[in-house]
Amino acid sequence: MGKNSYREVLARASSFLEQNQLEGHMIEYVFLQRKHWNKTDYLLHMHETITAEDQKQIDEDMAKLLAHYPPQYLIGSEAFLDYRFKVTPDTLIPRPETEELVEKCLKLTQKQAHQALKVVDVGTGTGAIAISLKDKRPTWQVCAVDLSSAALEVAQENAQQIGVALEFVLSDCLDEVAGTIDVLISNPPYISQDEYELMDVSVREFEPKMALFAENNGLAIYQKLAKQAQSKLAKDGKIFLEIGFMQGPAVKELFQAAFPKKQVSIHQDLFGNDRMIVVE
């Protein structure tokens, strides 16, 4: 082989991914993140001959990407709202739809922005929801809950890195959470076993099953949260939940039955899919 430039190597790798029905831009994304290069850096270097070390790294990353390994796990982070969050195979990779859940929560609690609300994020994973809320609402007492101690460690690292102080609780839903809750927020596991086959291979094979799947057609965790919240939610407390796009009516019904006096509404994401339930 002659001496190849960065541009030639990445262009070839990218079209090879596309031939294999994968997103071509993934390899460039991973490579630039690894090098800490932005687009400008890349434009400055792209015609240089690639180093043997960088070529080796691209080959290794390509092998993983072709096996559907998520690029976020390769580089160990993902952007969410204002920050990059450390991600590991112990945590779900934060998604744009979950950013919308955080924004919805901030918008509908605007009047309580400066109060000392007790806010609980169930199934925190990387800590993306809890940390983003605490960052925007410093007076809130935010508690990040997960059933995986490995996920909680990642969330703690992210909180330290970003510079916010949270409470971390190892708990199955609200079992170990003490006190009255003003805001309950959660992106729980909500995929049913039937939907397993429809999922992207990278999600199915590599993201933590415990953070994805739930019994009872994906409704088990909502059932548990609805039951527990009855005794733990403050009288004027609010609940914000992410849901699967086909679960709106079922989850709405669950929470309406648990909270007959509250208003329960279904909200859509940017793609127009049912994605959130708000109880207020």
Side-chain angles (χ1 to χ4, degrees):
M1 269 163 75
K3 294 202 184 314
N4 290 308
S5 68
Y6 284 98
R7 197 179 71 96
E8 289 165 330
V9 171
L10 288 169
R12 265 206 306 273
S14 172
S15 49
F16 191 65
L17 285 174
E18 278 169 10
Q19 286 161 21
N20 286 275
Q21 276 71 53
L22 290 162
E23 307 254 342
H25 64 82
M26 287 197 301
I27 187 62
E28 186 179 302
Y29 167 77
V30 169
F31 182 70
L32 296 187
Q33 287 289 341
R34 283 200 186 283
K35 295 287 280 184
H36 303 292
W37 283 0
N38 58 26
K39 289 284 183 205
T40 315
D41 298 324
Y42 180 51
L43 291 173
L44 291 172
H45 293 288
M46 66 185 203
H47 296 300
E48 294 170 9
T49 301
I50 191 166
T51 64
E53 194 183 357
D54 285 344
Q55 176 70 63
K56 183 169 174 278
Q57 185 66 68
I58 287 175
D59 292 342
E60 283 170 16
D61 287 340
M62 277 296 283
K64 288 256 172 103
L65 292 172
L66 287 163
H68 300 275
Y69 195 74
Q72 295 90 339
Y73 289 159
L74 277 180
I75 56 173
S77 71
E78 175 61 317
F80 185 88
L81 291 170
D82 300 341
Y83 298 101
R84 284 203 78 84
F85 286 79
K86 173 181 175 171
V87 296
T88 76
D90 291 311
T91 65
L92 207 58
I93 298 163
R95 306 289 198 276
E97 302 87 280
T98 310
E99 295 181 331
E100 295 182 57
L101 182 71
V102 170
E103 284 162 346
K104 178 75 71 189
C105 174
L106 290 169
K107 193 173 153 199
L108 297 179
T109 53
Q110 213 126 35
K111 289 185 178 137
Q112 297 146 296
H114 302 295
Q115 297 174 9
L117 297 189
K118 163 100 168 172
V119 180
V120 177
D121 169 27
V122 171
T124 198
T126 57
I129 293 177
I131 292 166
S132 301
L133 288 176
K134 180 69 176 175
D135 181 55
K136 294 273 193 287
R137 301 277 190 263
T139 55
W140 287 6
Q141 306 301 308
V142 181
C143 170
V145 174
D146 211 291
L147 186 51
S148 154
S149 52
L152 276 181
E153 276 175 36
V154 175
Q156 278 169 311
E157 271 184 65
N158 280 323
Q160 261 172 334
Q161 185 67 39
I162 289 163
V164 300
L166 304 177
E167 184 191 351
F168 294 92
V169 178
L170 184 66
S171 172
D172 184 358
C173 293
L174 301 174
D175 287 353
E176 310 298 325
V177 178
T180 308
I181 298 167
D182 297 300
V183 174
L184 172 60
I185 189 165
S186 182
N187 173 21
Y190 56 67
I191 294 159
S192 69
Q193 296 299 335
D194 310 347
E195 292 173 273
Y196 184 82
E197 294 304 325
L198 305 172
M199 294 176 67
D200 195 63
V201 182
S202 68
V203 179
R204 219 165 54 191
E205 305 268 315
F206 298 105
E207 293 198 55
K209 304 255 181 304
M210 174 169 148
L212 291 168
F213 296 106
E215 298 296 319
N216 302 356
N217 280 335
L219 297 174
I221 312 295
Y222 300 111
Q223 288 164 333
K224 184 157 186 175
L225 286 174
K227 190 166 185 291
Q228 291 183 325
Q230 284 176 302
S231 59
K232 303 214 181 211
L233 196 70
K235 196 160 79 65
D236 53 358
K238 296 183 170 77
I239 302 175
F240 299 88
L241 303 164
E242 185 171 319
I243 56 169
F245 70 97
M246 300 189 298
Q247 292 172 320
V251 177
K252 181 180 174 178
E253 201 178 303
L254 262 176
F255 280 85
Q256 196 64 79
F259 297 96
K261 295 200 170 89
K262 289 190 186 281
Q263 183 195 339
V264 182
S265 51
I266 302 174
H267 300 258
Q268 285 72 40
D269 60 22
L270 291 173
F271 299 108
N273 293 320
D274 286 355
R275 186 64 64 195
M276 292 166 273
I277 291 277
V278 176
V279 183
E280 51 187 334

